[in-house]
């Protein structure tokens, strides 16, 4: 699904150069559920931005779904984001002026789908997250957990191959966090690849694979743990 | 594209958009009406007078010496003027078209029938008049030197041997040919029409019958008289001071009136109109700038307020073009709302101006042009902030607050 | 408390200088444009002689053509002619009902002096009877108006303006000395102080806002010399006009006539006298139209002659709409400015300030901004009017700020700023304290 080789990313200001990623290599297979962990400033978010084509990178190669994306134009990258990737952000990033349904339909609009198709898909996605009854609410009228579920519905509506989640439970209490994680697992179970950035070991334990990032490098793999006890441990924490 | 969500967004943050929409509305009303008044005034000022405006000037003399030889000195003045290099022709006149003051006369088409009277401007001209004013004689002849008589505005003896009419006046008085017909006065004088000229405006800019002028062979009997001086093309500015010097040095017992170009005289007569045009123009330009800035301000504010939202949209797959179009569309909706109110305001203002003051009714095409212009202004104004918005990187979405 | 409000306002202005400057600029541009337009209107509509404008009357008699009414510009008849015939003016001078009266006309002559440095030049002359000076309160520096005898016999005497006195006589008391007018010696009877009523209400024929003549001679002295009429002359009757004497005896109208009637009793008496005079003339075969005599006060006369042009009213109307757009702009800017200060307002609320305190605080700031905008606007208006004076000679006496317009500008800016600031201030005052405090 995703293959990064020797990726380097340097942020330059007038005074300093920061190597956010160096010689970063990672391969994620189709259908994986990967947790990316690491302390703040380790390069997790940079990895996520590059993986999601939100940022370009300097060295190395990156193949997404078999396609080399290093030389693509802004417009082509927008199209790939729109069609293959679903984003879930830590602070939800719902558009405050749009109601729930409009928020979920937004990526479909950018795909130029017609109105009927958009509505149908948005409805399905909202049903999946259990918010089908709230379509005309504004984000400000929802709880944090509900907002994040809308955001997940928005990420799912485009039926992406890859879900990128950035600390999806960072702004939620533990009960809501668990609901969100349940949803991600459910999505993954249907065959969608999920990459989740988190600093919470309890969450990462529920992924098939853990990738630890330190100083812009992948330092540790934790292979897929087939024992479903991880689930119980996470819930109990 | 996202009309519905744009409208919803506006309805939730309505104060800013409302302010700008009202600005657009009033701007349209003021702009269209101001332009219309400017256009009306300019049309009045641009009416041709029939003389060679670009090359015509006027000076004159005012005699005070008791023993001043009026007839002889004028003849000598005209000879000197007509021989001066750069002068095309010079002759005596009582006034010039469009300059504000002159004489009018009542002519009768039929003898002793006051009901056949026609009002017209009356110019006293001499044998040089046709060349001096640069008139186009379409029929008949011009006056000879021996026809010029002395005229005092408060009374004189005798009458003119002939009269020249403008085409406009000739058609009004004698629709089936004016040449040779007799023109009568209420005091039972008469003169034949000896010629017809294409065009000559009256002296008074506000007079309704702009081209109803007549010319008679006469010369003021003192103590003051005007000389019209027509320069060779392009040499007026150079010739006029020379002419003043020439006349001043030529004889004593009189002063020379400071020369003016015909254009200056007409412009002075139109002071009110020109001042109005200038003030309205400044108001309009400032207003358009101000409204443009208002739109820029609101849009910039919106871009700053929506930075994260724009980043999110980009992350969800919006291209830069999508973002640009979003802001352009939002502005178009806003401007259109303003223009909706603007149409009503524009008509109301025009109705008020037409009702109260000397302003005509606005043709519908002006409204359409005004709307298009403001729509273009809005799109232009929002372009800057919208481009800033397109430069917001999608990675903004993953930034934590 | 007000001092505290002012101090806080100053801090707030300094915290957001760009927005504050933009708000001041928006108000300044609005005030600049509207005061420019308003000044021209104000000067046009000004009462040129406020102390007695309701006691001075322009006299009109309808001596015009029986077949068609008098027209002077426009599409509608203008009522009785604006001017009198010479014979009627002379006859009215016999009445002793008015406190003062004057028949007059504008002429021109060449002036020569013994001073060799002053070349002969053409000057406008007011030929008038002596009542002109007392009636219009024309101030004298030296000497006085000519005596009644000079009105009768047309003695060659002259009253000169200060400008000519400065040029010819170096500003000295020149009474008793002579100037040459049109080849005749005229003795100086008096010298005027500066006198320049705007609009020049007594004669609106030429440029309404021109300066008055610098030379005044008895009307009789001018007509005896057959000095030309530099104003309107309108004739309707077919008469044989060969000599100037024919002209003076004709039905041509050209003489301006003013009368000073201090109270309603004298007004009524004078009107009765005018009607009696016209009846008497009708009996003699003159005045063929229905009787229509008018006494118009200065104000009515200026209105009748439409001194305030339609264009100037259009400009005022559009200039005020412009001001409204500026204020809408200012409201938007104030919203942006105050939005940034909402948290500090919330802290004040939490410390016990009432909503009114907050609103008053902001209105103090807005009022101060308004006054700054007014001052800047006044400077803009002065610049605008200056550029109009440069561009248009005829507006030299019109496009000028006076004290009242200065106060109007500041007051208008202050009120406009308050009006614009009311909603933004109210909105901040309404802000819920808790919301802002929590997010800090």
């Amino acid at each position: 699904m995703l293959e990064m080789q020797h990726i380097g990313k340097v942020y330059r200001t007038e005074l300093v150069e920061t190597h956010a990623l160096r010689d970063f290599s990672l391969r994620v297979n189709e259908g994986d559920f990967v947790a990316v962990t690491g302390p703040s400033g380790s390069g997790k978010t940079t990895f996520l931005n590059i993986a999601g084509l939100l940022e370009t990178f300097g060295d190395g190669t990156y193949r997404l779904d078999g396609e080399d994306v290093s030389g693509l134009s802004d417009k082509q990258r927008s199209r790939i984001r729109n069609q293959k990737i679903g984003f879930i952000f830590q602070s939800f990033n719902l558009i405050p002026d749009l109601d729930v349904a409009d928020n979920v339909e937004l990526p479909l609009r950018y795909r130029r789908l017609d109105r009927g198709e958009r509505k149908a898909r948005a409805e399905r996605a909202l049903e999946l997250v259990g918010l089908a009854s709230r379509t005309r609410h504004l984000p400000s009228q929802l709880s944090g957990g509900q907002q994040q579920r809308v955001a997940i519905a928005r990420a799912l509506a485009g039926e992406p191959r890859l879900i990128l989640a950035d600390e999806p439970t960072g702004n939620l209490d533990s009960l809501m966090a668990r609901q969100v994680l349940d949803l991600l697992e459910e999505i993954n179970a249907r065959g969608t690849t999920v990459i989740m950035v988190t600093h919470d070991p309890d969450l990462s334990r529920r992924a098939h694979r853990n990738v630890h990032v330190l100083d812009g490098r992948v330092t540790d793999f934790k292979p897929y743990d087939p024992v479903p006890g991880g689930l119980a441990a996470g819930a109990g924490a | 594209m996202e009309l519905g969500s744009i409208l919803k967004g506006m309805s939730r943050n309505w104060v800013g958009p409302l302010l700008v929409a009202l600005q657009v509305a009033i701007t349209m009303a003021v702009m269209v009406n101001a332009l219309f008044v400017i256009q009306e005034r300019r049309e009045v000022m641009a009416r041709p007078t029939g003389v060679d405006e670009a090359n015509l000037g006027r000076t004159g003399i005012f005699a005070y010496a008791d023993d001043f030889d009026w007839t002889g000195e004028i003849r000598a003045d005209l000879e000197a003027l007509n021989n001066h290099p750069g002068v095309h022709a010079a002759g005596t006149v009582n006034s010039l078209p469009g300059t504000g003051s002159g004489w009018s006369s009542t002519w009768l088409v039929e003898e002793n029938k006051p009901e056949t009277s026609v009002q017209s401007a009356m110019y006293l001209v001499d044998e040089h008049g046709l060349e001096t004013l640069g008139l186009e004689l379409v029929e008949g002849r011009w006056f000879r030197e021996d026809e010029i008589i002395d005229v005092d505005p408060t009374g004189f003896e005798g009458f003119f041997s002939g009269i020249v009419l403008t085409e406009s006046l000739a058609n009004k008085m004698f629709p089936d040919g004016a040449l040779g017909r007799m023109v009568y006065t209420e005091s039972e004088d008469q003169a034949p029409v000896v010629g017809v000229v294409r065009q000559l405006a009256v002296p008074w800019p506000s007079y309704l019958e702009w081209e109803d002028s007549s010319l008679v062979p006469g010369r003021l009997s003192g103590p003051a008289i005007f000389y019209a001086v027509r320069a060779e093309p392009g040499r007026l500015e150079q010739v006029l001071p020379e002419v003043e010097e020439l006349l001043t040095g030529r004889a004593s017992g009189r002063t020379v009136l400071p020369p003016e170009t015909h254009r200056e005289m007409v412009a002075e007569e139109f002071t009110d109109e020109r001042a109005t045009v200038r003030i309205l123009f400044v108001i309009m330009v400032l207003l358009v700038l101000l409204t443009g800035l208002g739109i820029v301000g609101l849009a910039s504010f919106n871009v700053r307020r929506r930075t994260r939202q724009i980043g999110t949209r980009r992350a969800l797959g919006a291209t830069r073009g999508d973002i640009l179009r979003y802001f352009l569309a939002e502005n178009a909706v806003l401007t259109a709302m303003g223009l909706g109110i603007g149409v009503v305001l524009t008509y109301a203002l025009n109705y008020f101006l037409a009702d109260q003051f000397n302003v005509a009714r606005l043709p519908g095409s002006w409204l359409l042009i005004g709307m298009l212009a403001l729509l273009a202004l809005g799109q232009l104004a929002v372009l800057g902030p919208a481009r800033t918005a397109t430069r917001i990187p999608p990675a903004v979405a993953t930034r934590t607050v | 408390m007000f001092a505290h409000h002012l101090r806080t306002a100053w801090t707030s202005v300094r915290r957001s200088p760009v927005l504050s400057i933009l708000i001041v600029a928006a108000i300044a541009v609005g005030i600049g444009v509207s005061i420019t337009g308003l000044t021209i209107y104000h000067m046009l509509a000004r009462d040129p002689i406020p102390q007695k404008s309701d006691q001075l009357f322009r006299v009109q008699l309808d001596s015009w053509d029986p077949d068609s009414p008098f027209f002077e510009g426009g599409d509608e008849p203008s009522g009785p002619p604006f001017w009198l015939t010479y014979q009627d003016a002379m006859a009215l001078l016999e009445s002793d009902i008015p406190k003062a009266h004057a028949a007059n006309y504008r002429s021109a002559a060449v002036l020569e002096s013994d001073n060799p440095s002053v070349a002969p030049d053409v000057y406008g002359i007011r030929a008038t009877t002596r009542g002109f000076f007392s009636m219009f309160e024309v101030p004298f520096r030296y000497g006085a108006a000519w005596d009644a005898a000079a009105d009768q016999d047309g003695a060659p005497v002259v009253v000169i303006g200060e400008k000519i006195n400065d040029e010819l006589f170096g500003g000295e008391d020149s009474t008793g000395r002579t100037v040459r007018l049109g080849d005749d010696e005229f003795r100086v009877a008096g010298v005027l102080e500066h006198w320049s009523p705007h609009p020049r209400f007594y004669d609106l024929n030429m440029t309404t806002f021109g300066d008055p003549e610098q030379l005044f001679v008895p009307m009789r002295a001018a007509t005896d010399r057959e000095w030309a009429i530099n104003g309107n002359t309108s004739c309707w009757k077919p008469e044989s006009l060969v000599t100037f004497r024919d002209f003076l005896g004709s039905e041509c109208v050209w003489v301006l006539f003013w009368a000073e009637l201090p109270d309603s009793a004298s007004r009524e008496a004078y009107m009765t006298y005018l009607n009696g005079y016209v009846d008497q003339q009708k009996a003699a075969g003159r005045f063929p139209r229905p009787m229509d005599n008018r006494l118009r006060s200065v104000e009515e006369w200026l209105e009748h002659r439409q001194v305030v042009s339609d264009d100037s009213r259009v400009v005022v109307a559009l200039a005020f709409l412009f001001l409204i757009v500026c204020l809408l702009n200012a409201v938007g800017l104030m919203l942006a400015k105050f939005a940034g200060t909402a948290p500090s307002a919330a802290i004040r609320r939490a410390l016990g300030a009432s909503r009114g305190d907050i609103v008053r605080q902001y209105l103090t700031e807005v009022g101060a901004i308004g006054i700054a905008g007014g001052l800047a606007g006044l400077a803009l208006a002065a610049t605008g009017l200056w550029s109009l004076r440069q561009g248009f000679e005829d507006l030299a006496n019109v496009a000028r700020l006076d004290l009242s317009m200065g106060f109007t500008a500041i007051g208008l800016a202050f009120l406009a700023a308050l009006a614009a600031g009311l909603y933004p201030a109210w909105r901040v005052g309404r802000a819920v304290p808790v919301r802002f405090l929590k997010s800090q």
Side-chain angles (χ1 to χ4, degrees):
Chain A
M1 182 70 223
L2 174 152
E3 186 173 359
M4 287 182 178
Q5 279 180 338
H6 315 297
I7 296 281
K9 174 74 183 178
V10 183
Y11 292 107
R12 284 195 181 82
T13 65
E14 277 173 34
L15 295 175
V16 277
E17 277 189 1
T18 317
H19 290 263
L21 292 182
R22 47 180 115 201
D23 198 19
F24 186 98
S25 297
L26 179 70
R27 194 189 150 90
V28 176
N29 292 322
E30 180 118 33
D32 259 356
F33 186 165
V34 180
V36 180
T37 58
S40 320
S42 59
K44 294 192 305 279
T45 302
T46 306
F47 157 72
L48 190 85
N49 284 349
I50 289 173
L53 305 189
L54 299 177
E55 271 183 68
T56 53
F57 50 92
D59 315 318
T61 56
Y62 172 22
R63 300 181 75 83
L64 178 66
D65 201 17
E67 185 181 1
D68 184 356
V69 297
S70 33
L72 296 183
S73 71
D74 187 83
K75 200 168 178 170
Q76 288 166 317
R77 287 189 292 132
S78 295
R79 205 200 55 214
I80 294 176
R81 283 200 297 270
N82 184 251
Q83 299 187 344
K84 296 192 176 169
I85 305 172
F87 285 99
I88 299 165
F89 305 102
Q90 178 179 0
S91 39
F92 323 142
N93 286 359
L94 297 179
I95 312 290
D97 293 340
L98 300 182
D99 64 26
V100 165
D102 282 337
N103 260 292
V104 175
E105 283 180 37
L106 198 56
L108 308 179
R109 275 180 196 275
Y110 293 127
R111 207 183 282 184
R112 310 280 187 268
L113 292 185
D114 66 51
R115 197 180 146 80
E117 178 77 19
R118 287 202 312 262
K119 274 188 108 56
R121 286 200 189 197
E123 240 166 69
R124 249 180 287 148
L126 280 169
E127 228 161 272
L128 196 71
V129 300
L131 283 173
S133 59
R134 303 273 165 111
T135 52
R136 291 297 150 216
H137 284 61
L138 283 177
S140 57
Q141 296 165 323
L142 301 176
S143 73
Q146 288 170 323
Q147 287 191 41
Q148 191 60 305
R149 273 149 61 200
V150 174
I152 293 170
R154 185 173 67 183
L156 292 178
E159 292 170 5
R161 307 280 304 279
L162 172 65
I163 292 270
L164 290 174
D166 180 16
E167 304 273 10
T169 60
N171 285 353
L172 300 177
D173 62 38
S174 57
L175 178 69
M176 286 180 175
R178 207 172 59 206
Q179 287 177 349
V180 164
L181 213 66
D182 289 348
L183 255 173
L184 286 178
E185 277 185 337
E186 196 181 326
I187 293 159
N188 179 247
R190 295 171 178 217
T192 308
T193 313
V194 176
I195 300 177
M196 174 174 72
V197 167
T198 180
H199 65 271
D200 184 343
D202 288 339
L203 290 186
S204 57
R205 221 166 288 148
R206 290 177 59 173
H208 305 172
R209 251 176 81 193
N210 272 11
V211 176
H212 194 70
V213 182
L214 197 64
D215 275 346
R217 287 200 181 98
V218 178
T219 55
D220 192 17
F221 284 97
K222 187 180 167 201
Y224 171 55
D225 175 9
V227 183
L231 214 157
Chain B
M1 181 186 65
E2 288 189 67
L3 198 65
S5 60
I6 286 171
L7 284 173
K8 276 185 225 159
M10 275 184 196
S11 69
R12 274 166 213 136
N13 273 305
W14 53 272
V15 179
L18 177 74
L19 289 173
V20 171
L22 282 178
Q23 280 185 54
V24 169
I26 299 178
T27 300
M28 172 174 170
V30 172
M31 186 185 85
V32 171
N33 278 288
L35 266 179
F36 186 60
V37 172
I38 288 173
Q39 168 68 13
E40 271 199 320
R41 300 294 177 268
R42 290 181 83 107
E43 254 170 31
V44 168
M45 289 192 276
R47 289 178 304 185
T49 55
V51 299
D52 183 8
E53 291 160 13
N55 300 305
L56 193 61
R58 191 194 78 176
T59 176
I61 57 166
F62 200 121
Y64 54 87
D66 267 349
D67 54 353
F68 189 77
D69 173 12
W70 184 250
T71 317
E73 294 293 359
I74 289 177
R75 185 172 302 134
D77 279 346
L78 289 180
E79 200 179 316
L81 289 175
N82 277 298
N83 286 328
H84 187 77
V87 173
H88 179 81
T92 59
V93 288
N94 65 330
S95 76
L96 290 176
T99 58
S101 84
W103 298 14
S104 77
S105 182
T106 306
W107 306 121
L108 303 182
V109 178
E110 289 176 47
E111 196 171 7
N112 287 328
K113 286 197 177 160
E115 65 273 21
T116 64
S117 73
V118 174
Q119 285 288 327
S120 89
M122 184 170 86
Y123 289 97
L124 298 183
V125 289
D126 64 7
E127 71 274 18
H128 306 287
L130 189 66
E131 271 305 300
T132 305
L133 298 177
L135 303 178
E136 186 192 342
L137 192 66
V138 290
E139 252 187 305
R141 64 172 181 89
W142 192 250
F143 306 117
R144 295 182 309 268
E145 188 182 355
D146 61 341
E147 289 180 290
I148 315 300
I149 61 169
D150 279 350
V151 174
D152 188 309
T154 53
F156 60 97
E157 242 171 318
F159 198 65
F160 308 105
S161 60
I163 180 169
V164 169
L165 306 178
T166 57
E167 250 183 353
S168 146
L169 187 60
N171 289 338
K172 202 168 288 178
M173 292 177 73
F174 309 105
D176 29 310
L179 206 61
R181 297 286 299 270
M182 209 52 94
V183 170
Y184 303 91
T185 73
E186 289 177 318
S187 31
E188 300 179 0
D189 290 308
Q190 60 185 60
V193 177
V194 300
V196 175
V197 291
R198 176 81 65 207
Q199 189 184 37
L200 177 63
V202 301
W204 315 283
S206 57
Y207 192 71
L208 296 175
E209 312 296 337
W210 178 239
E211 290 190 16
D212 283 0
S213 302
S214 51
L215 301 112
V216 290
R219 178 173 287 166
L220 279 168
S221 57
I225 197 162
F226 294 125
Y227 297 140
V229 178
R230 184 181 174 201
E232 299 290 351
R235 296 183 64 182
L236 187 63
E237 300 285 342
Q238 168 217 336
V239 158
L240 282 183
E242 293 172 7
V243 158
E244 184 177 22
E245 202 177 331
L246 173 85
L247 290 176
T248 308
R250 229 202 40 74
S252 62
R254 51 103 178 270
T255 59
V256 175
L257 305 178
E260 287 178 275
T261 69
H262 182 250
R263 290 217 161 128
E264 284 166 359
M265 296 171 70
V266 172
E268 198 180 326
E269 190 55 28
F270 281 122
T271 293
D272 278 6
E273 285 82 355
R274 286 190 305 135
T276 303
V277 164
R278 183 184 301 185
I279 296 174
L280 290 186
F281 187 76
V282 169
I283 288 182
M284 215 187 59
V285 169
L286 285 177
L287 194 58
V288 167
L289 280 178
L290 202 68
T291 303
L293 285 179
I295 293 170
V296 171
L298 180 72
S300 305
F301 182 70
N302 277 339
V303 169
R304 240 183 317 151
R305 197 168 54 92
R306 294 184 197 153
T307 300
R308 170 169 290 270
Q309 176 187 145
I310 293 160
T312 307
R313 283 172 185 266
R314 294 279 281 127
L316 295 179
T319 60
R320 288 188 174 155
D322 287 328
I323 301 295
L324 189 72
R325 275 191 292 279
Y326 177 83
F327 277 92
L328 291 182
E330 187 180 54
N331 171 266
V333 169
L334 177 62
T335 311
M337 285 178 175
L339 294 179
I341 312 170
V343 169
V344 179
L345 270 187
T346 307
Y347 262 126
L349 182 60
N350 178 248
Y351 186 85
F352 170 73
L353 295 179
D355 190 48
Q356 299 282 314
F357 312 122
N358 179 24
V359 174
R361 282 291 151 80
L362 196 66
S365 58
W366 282 72
L367 227 55
L368 203 68
I369 293 167
M371 290 170 82
L372 288 177
L374 278 176
L375 209 56
L377 171 75
Q379 297 283 291
L380 211 65
V382 86
L383 210 54
R387 288 170 63 96
T388 311
T390 64
R391 286 194 290 270
I392 291 174
V396 163
T398 57
R399 234 174 258 162
T400 37
V401 200
Chain C
M1 199 62 196
F2 183 67
H4 171 76
H5 282 334
L6 267 182
R7 245 191 339 271
T8 314
W10 176 236
T11 321
S12 160
V13 165
R14 280 196 317 192
R15 199 176 303 126
S16 50
V18 176
L19 275 174
S20 303
I21 287 171
L22 282 177
I23 297 170
V24 170
I27 293 173
V29 173
I31 291 294
V33 166
S34 53
I35 290 297
T36 301
L38 198 61
T39 296
I40 290 176
Y41 176 84
H42 167 74
M43 293 302 276
L44 293 175
R46 193 158 84 143
D47 186 343
I49 179 162
Q51 64 278 24
K52 59 199 298 192
S53 60
D54 54 346
Q55 300 169 31
L56 300 176
F57 293 87
R58 180 72 175 238
V59 179
Q60 290 175 274
L61 308 176
D62 200 349
S63 62
W64 202 246
D65 189 348
D67 297 325
S68 61
F70 177 80
F71 276 87
E72 177 65 28
D75 317 332
E76 288 172 30
S78 312
F82 298 159
W83 311 281
L84 302 187
T85 66
Y86 180 76
Q87 48 176 327
D88 292 327
M90 292 306 120
L92 295 191
L93 284 174
E94 301 297 322
S95 166
D96 55 7
I97 298 167
K99 189 171 164 199
H101 51 193
N104 67 94
Y105 76 100
R106 182 180 161 92
S107 186
V110 173
L111 174 105
E112 295 174 274
S113 82
D114 299 336
N115 188 340
S117 67
V118 181
D121 203 355
V122 185
Y123 282 88
I125 293 179
R126 178 70 36 190
T128 180
T129 56
R130 62 197 288 270
F132 187 93
F133 301 102
S134 67
M135 186 163 53
F136 296 143
E137 298 186 347
V138 185
F140 277 84
R141 177 172 296 169
Y142 306 116
W146 53 80
D147 55 24
D151 274 342
Q152 292 299 321
D153 59 20
V157 288
V158 62
V159 166
I160 63 176
E162 60 157 3
K163 223 181 340 181
I164 283 195
N165 193 51
D166 287 350
E167 278 170 26
L168 296 186
F169 303 109
E172 289 172 24
D173 180 356
S174 57
T175 50
R177 297 173 70 170
T178 59
V179 295
R180 287 185 73 77
L181 279 177
D183 230 31
D184 282 321
E185 299 283 344
F186 277 68
R187 187 179 52 80
V188 176
V191 179
L192 299 183
E193 296 271 9
H194 176 75
W195 181 62
S196 189
H198 297 298
R200 200 179 56 186
F201 65 98
Y202 64 85
D203 185 356
L204 300 171
N205 273 357
M206 308 302 259
T207 46
T208 308
F209 286 86
D211 289 319
E213 296 80 7
Q214 290 279 304
L215 296 166
F216 299 81
V217 301
M219 178 132 161
R220 182 75 194 271
T223 52
D224 279 355
R225 286 167 179 77
E226 302 189 5
W227 280 354
I229 293 113
N230 278 15
N232 278 60
T233 305
S234 298
C235 309
W236 60 270
K237 192 176 181 184
E239 295 169 284
S240 167
L241 301 179
V242 175
T243 64
F244 196 71
R245 196 122 298 277
D246 292 342
F247 175 69
L248 294 184
S250 73
E251 290 291 347
C252 294
V253 293
W254 54 283
V255 182
L256 293 71
F257 201 96
W258 286 90
E260 180 176 0
L261 303 162
D263 50 49
S264 59
S266 62
R267 256 164 263 159
E268 276 164 31
Y270 195 60
M271 191 46 112
T272 311
Y273 160 77
L274 292 179
N275 292 345
Y277 170 77
V278 170
D279 274 337
Q280 189 191 321
Q281 292 298 310
K282 277 178 178 290
R286 294 184 64 228
F287 284 84
R289 292 188 68 76
M291 174 120 62
D292 187 7
N293 305 324
R294 303 283 178 93
L295 291 174
R296 283 195 163 99
S297 70
V298 171
E299 199 183 332
E300 288 164 343
W301 183 244
L302 296 177
E303 168 73 32
H304 185 54
R305 297 298 307 274
Q306 298 181 337
V307 167
V308 183
S309 63
D310 274 358
D311 276 8
S312 68
R313 293 179 215 253
V314 171
V315 165
V316 169
L318 296 187
F320 271 89
L321 285 175
F322 178 83
L323 177 61
I324 292 178
V325 172
C326 292
L327 292 184
L328 289 172
N329 232 313
V331 175
L333 291 165
M334 283 182 196
L335 281 172
K337 179 178 161 65
F338 289 169
T341 59
S344 95
I347 294 172
R348 285 165 189 278
R349 287 295 307 275
L351 294 178
S354 71
R355 183 173 300 172
D357 285 331
I358 301 292
V359 170
R360 270 193 295 280
Q361 165 62 44
Y362 282 97
L363 287 185
T364 307
E365 183 173 347
V366 160
I369 283 177
I371 288 173
L375 288 170
L378 208 52
L380 284 180
T383 314
L385 292 168
W386 173 82
S387 89
L388 283 174
R389 287 200 300 274
Q390 298 307 304
F392 305 98
E393 232 176 278
D394 289 359
L395 294 182
N397 290 320
V398 180
R400 280 190 184 284
L401 279 176
D402 61 12
L403 203 61
S404 69
M405 290 317 290
F407 284 122
T408 307
I410 307 289
L412 191 63
F414 182 71
L415 290 177
L418 283 190
L422 214 53
Y423 174 72
W426 174 78
R427 204 154 96 152
V428 174
R430 197 193 49 167
V432 189
V434 181
R435 205 174 107 205
F436 288 101
L437 293 180
K438 206 170 93 176
S439 68
Q440 280 285 295

